[in-house]
Amino acid sequence: MLKVAKFLRLPESTVFGVSTFYAQFKFSPTGRKKVRLCRGTACHVRGAPRILDEVEKHLGIKPGETTDDLEHSLETIACFGSCALAPVIVVDDNVYGRMTPKKVAQILGNAKSN
Ligand code: FES
């Protein structure tokens, strides 16, 4: 950020403010596969908390974290816009609807727990 601020001739606080405002900017490496779990209302009432528990157990990480091998990152989202398929999980660009805890292992494969 110091280099960017110097290059753009902006205060470091401005660069820091922008980089912390947008979720697309990360301060630590993310996993090769992005696992996003919807926690919107429809998904919540249809079991998203149980799916999240299973994903956390399977990967050994919490939302906002990345596995030690940098293979998976886990995020939660407010609503993916596919409420009819609730509960929904998205791995990279693949959308998995009507999730169950049992399907987690099938979708995430033999991802190692930390
Ligand atoms: S609440 Fe999950 S897709 Fe809309």
Side-chain angles (χ1 to χ4, degrees), residues 38 40-43 78-83 88:
C38 181
T41 303
C43 288
C79 177
F80 187 70
S82 300
C83 304
V88 172

Side-chain angles (χ1 to χ4, degrees), residues 29-33 58-61 65-73 108 110-114:
T30 58
R32 284 177 278 282
K33 293 179 184 167
H58 194 81
L59 296 177
I61 56 174
E65 295 179 347
T66 299
T67 55
D68 288 341
D69 61 3
L70 299 179
E71 194 61 33
H72 293 89
S73 290
L108 297 178
N110 56 359
K112 293 177 186 167
S113 297
N114 286 336

Side-chain angles (χ1 to χ4, degrees), residues 33-105:
K33 293 179 184 167
K34 313 269 184 287
V35 179
R36 293 178 289 158
L37 187 135
C38 181
R39 295 178 101 173
T41 303
C43 288
H44 181 83
V45 298
R46 288 185 159 182
R50 286 184 293 119
I51 308 299
L52 179 59
D53 286 346
E54 191 63 26
V55 172
E56 288 177 350
K57 219 181 327 174
H58 194 81
L59 296 177
I61 56 174
K62 300 276 186 194
E65 295 179 347
T66 299
T67 55
D68 288 341
D69 61 3
L70 299 179
E71 194 61 33
H72 293 89
S73 290
L74 175 60
E75 294 176 9
T76 56
I77 50 180
C79 177
F80 187 70
S82 300
C83 304
L85 298 176
V88 172
I89 188 169
V90 184
V91 181
D92 291 332
D93 294 329
N94 300 311
V95 180
Y96 299 94
R98 297 190 178 93
M99 280 296 298
T100 66
K102 283 185 178 176
K103 288 184 185 175
V104 169

